[in-house]
Amino acid sequence: MSVRTAVVGLGWAGRELWLPRLAEHPGFDVVGAVDPAPTAPTALDAAPGVPVHPTPGALTAREVDLAVVAVPNHLHAEVAAGLLGRGISVFLEKPVCLTSGEADLLAAAERDGGATLLAGSAAPHRADVGALARLLPELGRVRHVDLSWVRARGIPQAGSWFTQRSKAGGGVLFDLGWHLLDTLAALLGPAGFTQVLGVTSNDFLGTGAWSAAWRQDEAPALPAGDVEDTAWGFLVREDGVSVGLRAGWASHQARDVTRIRVTGSAATAELRCTFGFSPNRHPHAELTLTREGATTTLPVPQEPIGTEYRRQLDVLAGVLTDPGRRGRAVAEARTTVGVIEDFYASARRSHEQTAVPAHH
């Protein structure tokens, strides 16, 4: 039986990413959409005839099994909590929430409404990430993981809500960084962090020349922005694994590259690819295993861009009715947003120290 699904928010993600995949997936039946814009019905090329409502309040648990929420970041928790509280299960992609307080709000709504919050990034569902995961038993005890996703030019519409801290929560750390942290948890299992050190910068934010060319959002109507476009961090998990994290919306490199390097007591594995939809990609996914001075290149599945989102829907349809899933998404989001909050706190301390001349 198909999952009766509504898409809440018809911006780029709802319109280009979720609607087409939901409409073609046999496990889902798109029964509604929500967007306050008067022109919203014209965005439904992938699902013609589906009713478009101006507010989420029009959706009811009698008619909708799952709401895929694709609204701007600052509305994620508010919209999702409202739906959960009325008994409608919700799928939220990153960022699930912007603060620990919003995680509390979602937990209460999920509990009170008896619905289920599902969440996660598509990146762990990539075939090349799966190939890396299958290598982990050969690495011995994992000691360190390097995670980076750095674009050459890829600020998502500088001047849009994405670059306003009040609406996005932050910059590249909430955007690409959340994907990286989700991928880390998928590879090693969820764990909290005992130490977080981070620095941020925004050298590329002030000019539209560094914007993501593949995104067709509304024209910027706000100032350039007040978030970071680059973040570097060093983290330590509760299990003792150290993590190097780098996320960049823009850089001086030629291509947009994602790199995951897992160092263990017996060997090191490294995946180079490009997450997301950028056309300026690493030519093809590369997976290597290095042991005792010898590096072997391993076969890795190549797949069309965006396949991981279809694969994520395959999983989503199966877990929606699993009562064991209730509470898990909030717990994982609480860990992720907590480490991001600690990261920003560390970065603020660093900026404050460098802003004041040192006394010798």
Side-chain angles (χ1 to χ4, degrees), residues 75-282:
L75 297 174
H76 276 195
E78 175 187 340
V79 171
L83 292 163
L84 289 166
R86 298 202 309 279
I88 301 173
S89 291
V90 170
F91 172 75
L92 266 178
E93 208 194 3
K94 63 84 200 166
V96 175
C97 53
L98 301 184
T99 65
S100 296
E102 288 189 351
D104 294 338
L105 175 68
L106 289 169
E110 185 182 40
R111 181 180 61 251
D112 295 344
T116 300
L117 175 66
L118 301 172
S121 305
H125 299 276
R126 291 173 57 94
D128 48 16
V129 173
L132 173 63
R134 290 189 291 274
L135 271 183
L136 295 185
E138 299 187 39
L139 306 185
R141 182 170 178 178
V142 174
R143 299 296 188 181
H144 180 79
V145 181
D146 283 306
L147 300 163
S148 68
W149 182 358
V150 179
R151 294 173 176 165
R153 294 173 182 247
I155 297 173
Q157 285 295 333
S160 69
W161 66 262
F162 262 105
T163 60
Q164 308 300 315
R165 186 170 299 278
S166 63
K167 296 184 181 297
V172 70
L173 195 57
F174 264 110
D175 186 23
L176 309 189
W178 194 295
H179 283 293
L180 293 174
L181 291 167
D182 270 1
T183 304
L184 176 69
L187 289 171
L188 301 188
F193 293 83
T194 60
Q195 299 179 57
V196 179
L197 180 67
V199 293
T200 62
S201 60
N202 59 356
D203 298 328
F204 304 98
L205 197 63
T207 170
W210 301 92
S211 293
W214 67 92
R215 288 189 65 107
Q216 299 299 319
D217 289 335
E218 67 279 0
L222 298 166
D226 58 354
V227 299
E228 81 285 352
D229 56 45
T230 305
W232 296 267
F234 186 83
L235 325 172
V236 180
R237 288 175 28 122
E238 290 173 340
D239 57 9
V241 176
S242 58
V243 180
L245 179 71
R246 182 186 177 192
W249 273 338
S251 68
H252 299 294
Q253 64 189 39
R255 293 187 183 275
D256 300 358
V257 179
T258 307
R259 184 174 75 97
I260 305 173
R261 181 181 176 92
V262 185
T263 300
S265 58
T268 295
E270 180 171 335
L271 172 65
R272 284 180 176 266
C273 59
T274 302
F275 285 1
F277 292 89
S278 166
N280 185 27
R281 310 179 68 80
H282 193 278

Side-chain angles (χ1 to χ4, degrees), residues 62-84:
R62 293 188 304 276
E63 300 170 337
V64 176
D65 303 312
L66 179 70
V68 175
V69 174
V71 296
N73 291 1
H74 70 292
L75 297 174
H76 276 195
E78 175 187 340
V79 171
L83 292 163
L84 289 166

